[in-house]
Amino acid sequence: MIFASFRNKLKNTSISRKLYFTVGIMAVLVTLELSTLWFAVNTLSSVRSYVEGEGLWSKAQKDAVYHLRIYAFSHDETDYLAFRDFLKVPLGDKKARVELGKPNPDFAIAREGFIEGRNHPDDVGGMINLIRRFSNVYYIHSAFVIWGQAEQKMEQLIPLGDQLHTMIKSGSASQKEINTKLAEVEVINRQLTKLEDDFSFTLGEGSRWLENIVLRILLALSLTIGTTSILITISVSKGIEKAIKAIIDGAALIRRGLYGTRVQVYSSDEIGVLATAFNEMSGTLEHNIQNLKDAEESLKKNATGQRLLKR
């Protein structure tokens, strides 16, 4: 019903407007496709930023544990300070995650946290938007659950480092006691490594899922653009061809002497106006020819009458 009404309205629109309409529809669909592509590229780029962020998080955590190991034997305070300094990266990311988990997050604080986590400032906006838009998607949600679990393990690592620092500073702890504490650090370090691997794997699955969705959307849009352009072109050209053919056939009939020929007016556009003018012209032509015939008959009758009078 709606399509039929649309076709009738389009049929009675001028040819120039039909062309403008066709071009406009195509422009809208192409813009929609490009916007979808732009959104997809930015979203996939944000996923890539999180994978890079995980790499920074993981490296900082490994470097922190490495310097803690060194500190356990060197007892050099600079090694412990390096341990604390490297922890600023996961702690910054934690600040961002916790803020974004709030009902009304402060995006400035989240941005600050991501930058403290050494993420590139140009990537931070996309990372925030990814959580806002896709936090309920299974893969994204699972990845951030793993992220939270890794932070809990990190929170266990920090007090162990502080305890080790206290033991060494006191000077009363034996190397065996220090090694025992260091062994606890190694257990957490291995657990963190697994969580980091799980985080990257889950994000990778999410990126592949998103890629498939985007490809399907782009394919659907491409098919829509192609189908729509073909249907509109066929509809417009068929209407014009039908109306012009009627006029051509009408002209052929008049050429054969059928002056009473009228063509059907299919639309109110320029072709419809031409068909109406053709009908008016054929009507005028028929009327004039009829008048000529009547005048000719009248002349013949007068001539016959005069011949009869002369006899």
Side-chain angles (χ1 to χ4, degrees):
M1 185 68 179
I2 296 175
F3 183 71
S5 176
F6 172 75
R7 283 190 62 186
N8 290 331
K9 188 173 182 180
L10 183 63
K11 181 176 67 175
N12 295 321
T13 304
S14 65
I15 294 176
S16 59
R17 289 190 176 183
K18 288 176 184 175
L19 295 175
Y20 293 148
F21 173 79
T22 303
V23 172
I25 288 293
M26 298 301 299
V28 169
L29 291 173
V30 169
T31 301
L32 181 61
E33 183 176 25
L34 291 176
S35 298
T36 302
L37 182 61
W38 176 84
F39 177 79
V41 169
N42 277 274
T43 302
L44 289 173
S45 177
S46 299
V47 174
R48 181 265 308 162
S49 298
Y50 272 106
V51 173
E52 290 182 358
E54 185 276 327
L56 293 169
W57 195 101
S58 176
K59 183 178 184 303
Q61 176 259 319
K62 299 300 181 191
D63 286 339
V65 171
Y66 170 75
H67 281 279
L68 197 61
R69 289 197 201 103
I70 294 176
Y71 177 63
F73 295 96
S74 70
H75 299 181
D76 187 343
E77 187 70 12
T78 57
D79 292 322
Y80 175 74
L81 293 177
F83 161 75
R84 297 293 301 187
D85 187 60
F86 279 114
L87 289 179
K88 292 178 181 178
V89 172
L91 290 175
D93 288 333
K94 177 184 177 181
K95 179 164 72 173
R97 186 190 66 81
V98 170
E99 188 63 33
L100 291 173
K102 297 177 180 178
N104 297 304
D106 186 331
F107 296 119
I109 294 176
R111 180 178 180 82
E112 182 180 275
F114 277 128
I115 291 176
E116 289 175 4
R118 297 182 184 175
N119 296 284
H120 196 284
D122 292 343
D123 294 335
V124 171
M127 295 171 76
I128 292 173
N129 288 332
L130 183 71
I131 298 180
R132 292 174 61 197
R133 293 168 180 163
F134 299 101
S135 60
N136 293 325
V137 173
Y138 170 77
Y139 298 105
I140 304 301
H141 176 74
S142 298
F144 286 99
V145 167
I146 296 171
W147 183 5
Q149 293 171 348
E151 286 175 350
Q152 292 175 5
K153 291 296 179 182
M154 183 64 70
E155 290 172 354
Q156 296 175 21
L157 181 64
I158 294 172
L160 284 175
D162 292 341
Q163 291 169 20
L164 189 63
H165 180 240
T166 302
M167 291 169 63
I168 292 173
K169 289 287 287 184
S170 68
S172 59
S174 65
Q175 190 61 45
K176 183 178 180 180
E177 292 173 324
I178 292 174
N179 290 342
T180 300
K181 188 62 63 177
L182 199 59
E184 295 180 37
V185 172
E186 290 298 333
V187 170
I188 294 176
N189 184 49
R190 287 194 294 272
Q191 292 172 341
L192 282 170
T193 298
K194 182 173 187 312
L195 289 170
E196 290 158 0
D197 291 342
D198 290 345
F199 180 86
S200 296
F201 176 79
T202 305
L203 270 187
E205 289 292 306
S207 66
R208 282 185 285 276
W209 168 82
L210 183 61
E211 182 180 354
N212 288 332
I213 293 294
V214 169
L215 288 175
R216 290 177 185 177
I217 292 174
L218 291 176
L219 178 60
L221 284 173
S222 298
L223 291 175
T224 301
I225 291 173
T227 303
T228 302
S229 62
I230 291 172
L231 288 176
I232 292 177
T233 302
I234 290 175
S235 178
V236 173
S237 62
K238 189 175 180 181
I240 294 174
E241 181 184 2
K242 184 178 180 181
I244 291 178
K245 186 176 183 303
I247 295 173
I248 293 173
D249 291 343
L253 292 173
I254 289 178
R255 192 164 53 244
R256 288 162 51 189
L258 301 174
Y259 302 112
T261 300
R262 302 290 187 274
V263 298
Q264 184 175 347
V265 180
Y266 292 100
S267 63
S268 300
D269 59 8
E270 291 87 342
I271 305 298
V273 172
L274 179 61
T276 302
F278 179 90
N279 290 337
E280 292 174 353
M281 180 194 68
S282 62
T284 301
L285 181 62
E286 183 183 24
H287 178 72
N288 291 338
I289 290 175
Q290 187 60 48
N291 288 340
L292 287 173
K293 287 182 178 179
D294 292 343
E296 185 179 359
E297 288 294 327
S298 179
L299 288 173
K300 286 181 179 179
K301 288 179 180 180
N302 291 335
T304 303
Q306 288 177 2
R307 282 198 298 270
L308 291 173
L309 289 173
K310 288 180 179 179
R311 289 179 183 176

